[in-house]
Amino acid sequence: MKSAVVVFPGSNRDRDMLHALELVTGEKPATVWHQDTELPDVDLVVLPGGFSYGDYLRCGAIAGRSPVMSEVAKMAERGRLVLGVCNGFQILTETGLLPGALMRNADLKFVCREVKLQTVNTQTPFSGAFENGQVWRCPVAHHDGNYFADADTLAQLEDGGRVVFRYAEGTNPNGSINDIAGIVNAAGNVLGMMPHPENLVEPIQGGTDGRRFFESLIQALETA
Amino acid sequence: MISNDIAITPDLIAAHGLKPDEYERILELIGREPSFTELGIFSAMWNEHCSYKSSKKWLKTLPTKGPRVLQGPGENAGVVDIGDGQTVVFKMESHNHPSYIEPYQGAATGVGGILRDVFTMGARPVAAMNALRFGAPDHARTKHLVSGVVAGVGGYGNSFGVPTVGGEVEFDAAYNGNCLVNAFAAGLADADKIFLSEAKGVGLPVVYLGAKTGRDGVGGATMASAEFDETIEEKRPTVQVGDPFTEKCLLEACLELMASGAVIAIQDMGAAGLTCSAVEMGAKGDLGIDLDLDLVPVREERMTAYEMMLSESQERMLMVLAPEKKTEAEAIFRKWGLDFAVVGKTTDTLRFIVKHQGEVVADLPIKELGDEAPEYDRPWNEPVPEPMLAAADVAEPADYAAALTALVGSANGSSRRWVYEQYDTLVQGNSLATPGGDAGVIRVMDAQGNPTTKGLAFAVDVSPHYCKADPVQGGRQAVAECWRNLSAVGAEPLAATDNLNFGNPEKPEIMGQLVACIRGIGEACVALEMPIVSGNVSLYNETFGEAILPTPAIGGVGLLPDVEKRVGAAFVNDGDVVAVIGGEGTHLGQSAYLRDVVGKVEGAAPPVDLALEKKNGDFVRGLIRSGAVNACHDLSSGGLAVALAEMAISGGKGAAIELTKGDGATHARLFGEDQARYLVTFPAADADALGGKASEAGIRFARLGAVGGDDLTVKDILSISVANLRKAHENWFPRYMDDRDA
């Protein structure tokens, strides 16, 4: 699987993502600078976590207008896989590639802890390696992860099976509506999620639950 | 606008924190009255914070060398060899006064400053810790400070992208008017790629890097060298404002720049900003520096020379550039959206010459400003240790289970989860042990970003009440506990950084605390082979003449050659034997039990037998590395009972314990804070072999019981469910901060 990770000024989980991708896929991902106007020919583009431009404006608002983002949008249109984790999810909502918004956490504090996620739709390229309804461990680390969408959008997401991951077993850390942790676009090839599967892929990290997430991608590309 | 020809009056001199004899020395040095800007420069360089003038004589007595030490104190951070051509670069520094005035920005810029110290040396920061001390929980200002400081620490470190792996949070009325915020950072660098601040070469460009200069923080270092009084609110403008985004960009730009070969010398602008960085680079390299302030990037109009020289705007650096690399270097900084401006040059005059709008506003001898700041041998009184307090003179609890619950659920004994969950403990993906255990542990990556088998352990410790009761023993204990915490995860303690927080050194009893604590720290560092490689001194921590407790925080770094060979503090397997190494508890003076259950603070601090510490710690580390034990926890505040409870809570398993036959008082055996002790657990089948090994090595070793069940039971003394212990342990902090009844 060929992948690329976009680096914005202020990205800080870019290296984590590069390490996890290489570890699970066995292939070294490319690194793309936010000013670049071309993307390499890859199967997957990742917008990593961090605080792009300090997130002094709305999280992801400035990064969403970087030159590279129009290329990312084109990739998405062409059906390539696009993944946004944490700040990446925020950037995807800012560009309109995904609906809704990530508001400040309900208790107004940054939160870093392990939560439980439930995979509620295994029919996406990001979740095929999970059992339906499978509950898995995953860390979160964010200040603005409180997902919100208006009633119509929410109904579209829920009715269309576009909610892929939900916080499970009462571990919703941020007040997200319907316990939403990760969603896909209507075409199913763009996923945004707040939790960090890239930080739980090796036994030494305390578990490998996040591996299955990346294995889903490999599986999807093999069967595609 | 402040002009440079303001008259120099005694009041103005005093307002700059300079004593009359110090001013006389200035007149002698330059042979004329200083200009206003020059007075500001002297004030910045000669204040306590920058010059260490009260502590230098004593700091020199600390051991700073060792086979692994590549760079000791005097640079931006210490450098220690961790093998394979890699080094760990670390330091701890206080931001106490700014944090009390403006907790969010004070704490944030404290973290920013220490991170900058580390990456100025060429190291990528990989771990952070912090030691925080606040006033009594019911003091009117405490909650505001806790929430602001914790948010500030997190706000900066989380955005910058460094995992916070450990720390301390304590409450005591002695900090009501003066909280402590000590920030630690560590980074990794290859041994042949360390950068220093010593300027080399005449006529080379001096380059300003990073963010623009504003009026924030003007006079901050002088403010931090004075006691507080009712005018404190007026000092808010002396606190700087942090921008972690710019700092993250500055990190990446600096590391790229260093890799390009453009950097001859580099120094971050911390306390006293442009003044301190320029003078240090010149003075260390025996060179003069010429600066032209018209070239300094500014973000405010009509700034005076005085303001520019004393601004503490954050996220700035000064470097001496290899001239042939200028274009390449500038391009790197432009790419990261940062300022890059040649603002001066090195000279062979040994003068520090500052020009502004065509005028020379300062012309001073650089060596005298930097290396030859005043040094004092302040009068001090040898502290008289508090008398021993016999366990028999301390009341026994009516209900041992209630006493233990109270201890694990007290302001100082409870879980710090509320705090550390606001810190990103996982970014970079290498955190192996996060806050809440004895030491934080990270995996070491190589320069290419590939995992190695090595790990680093980090701990920060001090017991201020011990230091007050007996500064020598307290100083020893701070080092010993830090060393023990590193040993308890299986790490070999390598070196330490000290952050010495004390009151007004002009008072002989406070100076005596400083002298005696340093003596104790030095003794322990020698005995435990853990040299001090960097540090910071924060004096004048007093408000209305009330000093804080003597608080010499020790931040230690340990090496794990094989990260797989480490343990945590949580009970692991049902049926594992629980044993104590180092003997039974006897000492209740200055203990958590005495303070939180009996309600008294008295007696001697527990004595620290350094040879015993070494022997027991080396034995425990050996057990861990041989894979013989499943869990280990050091015994500290709250003694055996609290250590058992913490292992049970983190493991979610109980234990059935029976105290060994002995004639000591029960409460002293359970809650005594005797030093050099550890709890370990291991498979029952290995018990005899381990006991034999211990007795062969002359180690006191006693089987206490076995892991298992839902309750922590000490036969005939107490039984309590782990669930209830956990509830007490976890509830205190969130309830306190949420304003609900505790």
Side-chain angles (χ1 to χ4, degrees):
Chain A
M1 183 178 85
K2 290 196 173 55
S3 57
V5 176
V6 179
V7 180
F8 300 93
S11 294
N12 68 22
R13 269 187 168 80
D14 44 335
R15 291 159 160 260
D16 308 36
M17 185 57 79
L18 291 165
H19 176 68
L21 283 169
E22 188 174 351
L23 189 81
V24 184
T25 70
E27 283 184 72
K28 214 177 178 69
T31 304
V32 179
W33 183 238
H34 70 118
Q35 299 281 15
D36 290 354
T37 47
E38 257 179 70
L39 282 172
D41 185 27
V42 292
D43 307 305
L44 167 76
V45 181
V46 185
L47 312 180
F51 288 73
S52 54
Y53 294 93
D55 285 343
Y56 297 139
L57 193 60
R58 282 190 324 274
C59 299
I62 300 179
R65 285 147 186 84
S66 294
V68 76
M69 284 311 296
S70 47
E71 295 306 306
V72 173
K74 282 182 208 158
M75 291 280 269
E77 232 165 86
R78 289 210 302 270
R80 299 290 170 88
L81 300 180
V82 176
L83 165 66
V85 172
C86 200
N87 197 219
F89 188 10
Q90 295 161 345
I91 294 168
L92 289 173
T93 61
E94 279 291 334
T95 55
L97 285 170
L98 290 174
L102 282 316
M103 305 190 300
R104 183 131 288 202
N105 294 347
D107 70 357
L108 307 181
K109 294 197 292 282
F110 186 95
V111 60
C112 176
R113 69 166 76 116
E114 188 175 295
V115 298
K116 295 279 177 57
L117 295 183
Q118 183 168 36
T119 304
V120 292
N121 177 1
T122 55
Q123 305 300 309
T124 80
F126 306 92
S127 55
F130 292 97
E131 304 290 323
N132 203 17
Q134 186 175 342
V135 174
W136 51 292
R137 300 164 50 210
C138 195
V140 295
H142 57 249
H143 209 157
D144 298 82
N146 183 356
Y147 184 78
F148 182 79
D150 61 58
D152 290 347
T153 310
L154 198 62
Q156 282 174 21
L157 288 174
E158 292 289 2
D159 297 346
R162 288 167 55 191
V163 176
V164 183
F165 305 115
R166 275 188 226 278
Y167 301 111
E169 298 176 8
T171 62
N172 182 340
N174 52 36
S176 283
I177 194 161
N178 291 8
D179 293 326
I180 288 174
I183 56 168
V184 284
N185 62 348
N189 65 323
V190 178
L191 178 122
M193 66 190 295
M194 286 313 294
H196 291 285
E198 73 274 23
N199 282 152
L200 201 66
V201 291
E202 295 177 80
I204 203 162
Q205 293 170 328
T208 56
D209 290 33
R211 261 191 116 99
R212 195 151 287 204
F213 175 83
F214 294 98
E215 285 161 359
S216 298
L217 293 162
I218 299 173
Q219 198 174 299
L221 288 163
E222 276 168 359
T223 54
Chain B
M1 172 154 165
I2 312 169
S3 115
N4 197 39
D5 20 87
I6 287 178
I8 310 297
T9 63
D11 281 353
L12 190 69
I13 294 164
H16 280 77
L18 290 162
K19 306 277 186 256
D21 56 317
E22 291 171 343
Y23 185 67
E24 284 305 313
R25 180 136 179 223
I26 292 172
L27 292 179
E28 221 172 279
L29 266 177
I30 64 174
R32 60 176 165 80
E33 187 175 77
S35 71
F36 180 57
T37 301
E38 288 175 333
L39 185 72
I41 290 174
F42 272 109
S43 144
M45 290 307 298
W46 284 10
N47 65 61
E48 190 68 54
H49 187 82
C50 291
S51 72
Y52 298 96
K53 60 191 171 191
S54 302
S55 55
K56 210 187 252 175
K57 172 186 161 89
W58 303 100
L59 294 176
K60 284 179 192 158
T61 65
L62 289 170
T64 59
K65 293 190 167 61
R68 287 181 178 273
V69 178
L70 302 181
Q71 176 66 55
E75 275 293 338
N76 285 300
V79 182
V80 179
D81 183 3
I82 57 169
D84 310 309
Q86 290 188 293
T87 69
V88 57
V89 176
F90 64 96
K91 190 183 178 186
M92 181 158 52
E93 199 162 84
S94 62
H95 232 212
N96 304 335
H97 290 79
S99 301
Y100 191 75
I101 298 171
E102 168 50 50
Y104 185 96
Q105 291 299 344
T109 53
V111 173
I114 198 67
L115 288 168
R116 215 155 47 244
D117 277 332
V118 164
F119 71 78
T120 305
M121 306 282 298
R124 181 176 282 280
V126 293
M129 296 193 288
N130 53 82
L132 311 179
R133 287 189 162 76
F134 300 102
D138 58 1
H139 185 267
R141 203 174 172 106
T142 301
K143 216 173 279 186
H144 159 73
L145 289 172
V146 172
S147 90
V149 165
V150 170
V153 167
Y156 207 102
N158 298 346
S159 177
F160 180 84
V162 64
T164 298
V165 300
E168 286 193 297
V169 181
E170 266 194 359
F171 298 91
D172 194 285
Y175 305 100
N176 279 352
N178 198 127
C179 64
L180 299 185
V181 174
N182 294 175
F184 169 102
L188 290 173
D190 283 352
D192 55 357
K193 298 196 180 80
I194 301 288
F195 288 82
L196 302 179
S197 59
E198 178 188 328
K200 285 177 194 155
V202 174
L204 297 181
V206 173
V207 181
Y208 174 111
L209 305 171
K212 294 186 196 310
T213 296
R215 290 192 170 90
D216 46 333
V218 171
T222 307
M223 171 273 290
S225 303
E227 285 185 37
F228 278 161
D229 53 28
E230 61 283 348
T231 65
I232 173 175
E233 291 299 339
E234 297 166 15
K235 290 179 175 158
R236 199 186 291 266
T238 60
V239 179
Q240 318 85 322
V241 177
D243 175 0
F245 167 64
T246 297
E247 177 120 322
K248 165 73 170 159
C249 294
L250 187 60
L251 160 75
E252 301 297 343
C254 281
L255 294 184
E256 272 187 45
L257 188 69
M258 289 162 169
S260 78
V263 180
I264 292 174
I266 187 162
Q267 171 74 33
D268 83 297
M269 294 194 219
L274 198 48
T275 295
C276 203
S277 54
V279 170
E280 277 187 29
M281 287 174 79
K284 278 192 189 144
D286 287 325
L287 292 170
I289 303 266
D290 283 4
L291 290 183
D292 184 349
L293 296 183
D294 298 340
L295 303 174
V296 170
V298 289
R299 64 161 174 255
E300 293 177 68
E301 289 179 343
R302 294 165 62 82
M303 285 187 69
T304 64
Y306 178 93
E307 289 168 332
M308 280 194 245
M309 291 311 293
L310 295 193
S311 162
E312 293 192 0
S313 291
Q314 299 287 292
E315 295 90 25
R316 302 180 301 160
M317 299 264 196
L318 204 61
M319 73 154 176
V320 178
L321 172 77
E324 70 279 8
K325 299 273 188 185
K326 180 166 180 281
T327 313
E328 191 182 339
E330 186 162 1
I332 292 171
F333 272 73
R334 298 285 172 239
K335 172 184 153 192
W336 287 98
L338 297 166
D339 270 299
F340 177 101
V342 176
V343 295
K345 61 174 192 298
T346 57
T347 69
D348 59 3
T349 61
L350 285 180
R351 303 292 291 184
F352 182 46
I353 297 175
V354 183
K355 289 189 196 125
H356 188 222
Q357 296 171 355
E359 233 179 279
V360 172
V361 292
D363 181 352
L364 300 169
I366 206 163
K367 294 293 282 183
E368 286 76 1
L369 260 181
D371 300 352
E372 291 163 38
E375 197 178 319
Y376 293 125
D377 183 2
R378 296 199 186 276
W380 57 281
N381 297 340
E382 181 70 42
V384 180
E386 295 286 330
M388 284 298 287
L389 176 66
D393 294 332
V394 176
E396 266 202 76
D399 177 340
Y400 274 94
L404 178 56
T405 311
L407 280 171
V408 298
S410 69
N412 285 317
S414 58
S415 164
R416 271 51 189 142
R417 186 181 303 279
W418 185 91
V419 174
Y420 64 72
E421 283 193 347
Q422 294 186 57
Y423 305 146
D424 193 334
T425 53
L426 301 171
V427 62
Q428 300 188 12
N430 294 314
S431 302
L432 309 183
T434 52
D438 285 329
V441 180
I442 63 152
R443 169 175 61 182
V444 172
M445 305 292 262
D446 67 16
Q448 286 72 45
N450 299 312
T452 71
T453 60
K454 288 182 293 192
L456 287 171
F458 303 94
V460 56
D461 292 286
V462 60
S463 305
H465 277 291
Y466 294 178
C467 295
K468 177 87 186 297
D470 185 338
V472 174
Q473 294 298 337
R476 288 174 160 209
Q477 196 273 341
V479 177
E481 185 173 345
C482 183
W483 186 88
R484 213 152 59 217
N485 278 325
L486 298 173
S487 299
V489 298
E492 171 200 354
L494 295 179
T497 178
D498 58 346
N499 201 148
L500 309 176
N501 308 274
F502 289 81
N504 181 349
E506 294 162 39
K507 297 177 183 168
E509 68 276 15
I510 300 289
M511 199 57 213
Q513 290 175 347
L514 177 65
V515 170
C517 274
I518 291 178
R519 193 189 308 150
I521 290 168
E523 288 168 358
C525 287
V526 169
L528 300 174
E529 296 167 29
M530 188 160 77
I532 300 287
V533 296
S534 58
N536 167 248
V537 180
S538 172
L539 303 177
Y540 298 94
N541 289 292
E542 301 204 358
T543 301
F544 295 116
E546 282 291 311
I548 59 159
L549 294 169
T551 313
I554 302 294
V557 177
L559 178 66
L560 292 140
D562 179 357
V563 281
E564 301 286 354
K565 293 195 172 121
R566 68 175 207 283
V567 295
F571 283 150
V572 178
N573 297 324
D574 287 341
D576 273 359
V577 170
V578 181
V580 64
I581 284 170
E584 63 183 25
T586 62
H587 190 100
L588 288 173
Q590 302 296 335
S591 66
Y593 171 78
L594 189 62
R595 181 188 59 200
D596 295 337
V597 178
V598 182
K600 288 182 184 169
V601 175
E602 58 181 356
V608 181
D609 178 337
L610 293 167
L612 189 68
E613 283 286 355
K614 182 88 169 62
K615 189 164 117 175
N616 291 354
D618 288 348
F619 180 74
V620 167
R621 191 179 319 107
L623 289 185
I624 295 169
R625 291 195 173 179
S626 71
V629 301
N630 290 329
C632 179
H633 191 21
D634 95 302
L635 268 59
S636 57
S637 178
L640 175 68
V642 166
L644 285 166
E646 287 170 347
M647 294 180 86
I649 292 167
S650 36
K653 290 177 187 302
I657 300 297
E658 190 173 348
L659 291 183
T660 46
K661 304 253 177 292
D663 43 17
T666 304
H667 61 332
R669 300 170 80 193
L670 278 179
F671 301 119
E673 297 183 4
D674 303 65
Q675 300 293 297
R677 297 191 300 153
Y678 302 79
L679 275 172
V680 291
T681 72
F682 45 83
D686 302 339
D688 290 342
L690 278 186
K693 233 182 186 173
S695 77
E696 237 169 74
I699 302 281
R700 291 183 68 187
F701 174 97
R703 282 180 71 158
L704 296 178
V707 175
D710 298 327
D711 302 326
L712 176 64
T713 306
V714 181
K715 196 179 172 195
D716 300 332
I717 299 170
L718 68 86
S719 181
I720 179 166
S721 77
V722 176
N724 283 340
L725 281 171
R726 170 177 287 130
K727 208 183 288 169
H729 193 54
E730 294 292 350
N731 279 353
W732 186 86
F733 226 113
R735 282 191 176 171
Y736 169 64
M737 293 308 294
D738 286 355
D739 255 325
R740 278 182 271 144
D741 295 334

